[in-house]
């Protein structure tokens, strides 16, 4: 079994995403992030998964500085998409450096679509 350290969910109103579930990443429950800011905001903006093999050594500047305080390493955030519309994001983080495979990305996108169906129903 693969170990997951944190898991967080955000919802989007098209301009701002608000954290619902908190794994300690990106500001905590109820925090507001602009589209394009932090991993959740970038995944929302691109409507594609965003991942960092080791959050602690991120040099791309995608992760918010406060995310490093969590001590997580391998991290991915996928958009919650349904019929081309963004409904939020789902973030997963691991305690070790990790690169998610294309198959894992696809599975997480499918999970995101299922979550989106529940959001709109």
């Amino acid at each position: 079994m693969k170990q997951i350290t944190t898991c967080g969910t955000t919802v989007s109103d098209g301009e701002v995403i608000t954290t619902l579930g908190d794994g300690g990443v990106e500001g905590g429950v109820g925090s507001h992030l602009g589209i394009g800011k932090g991993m959740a905001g970038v995944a929302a903006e691109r409507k594609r998964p965003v991942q960092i093999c080791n959050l602690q050594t991120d040099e791309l500047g995608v992760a918010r500085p406060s995310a490093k305080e969590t001590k997580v390493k391998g991290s991915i955030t996928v958009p919650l998409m349904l019929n081309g519309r963004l409904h939020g994001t789902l973030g997963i983080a691991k305690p070790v450096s990790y690169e998610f495979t294309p198959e894992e990305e696809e599975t997480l996108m499918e999970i995101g679509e299922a979550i989106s169906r529940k959001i709109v129903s």
Side-chain angles (χ1 to χ4, degrees), residues 48-49 76 78 100-113:
R48 297 287 314 140
I76 188 169
V78 297
F100 291 82
T101 66
E103 294 80 16
E104 290 169 321
E105 281 189 12
E106 183 61 32
T107 298
L108 289 170
M109 289 294 290
E110 291 169 4
I111 291 168
E113 185 174 319

Side-chain angles (χ1 to χ4, degrees), residues 13-88:
D13 69 2
E15 294 180 24
V16 174
I17 48 182
T18 304
T19 304
L20 297 180
D22 178 31
V25 178
E26 303 214 49
V29 175
S31 63
H32 302 289
L33 307 167
I35 301 293
K37 305 293 183 188
M39 287 184 68
V42 171
E45 179 179 61
R46 295 179 183 172
K47 298 182 179 174
R48 297 287 314 140
V50 173
Q51 72 168 298
I52 299 173
C53 179
N54 186 339
L55 191 73
Q56 300 305 309
T57 59
D58 171 44
E59 295 176 6
L60 299 175
V62 174
R64 295 172 62 117
S66 61
K68 290 186 178 184
E69 295 172 12
T70 65
K71 305 296 183 213
V72 298
K73 293 185 179 175
S75 183
I76 188 169
T77 301
V78 297
L80 304 180
M81 301 292 297
L82 181 64
N83 299 323
R85 183 161 181 249
L86 175 70
H87 295 280

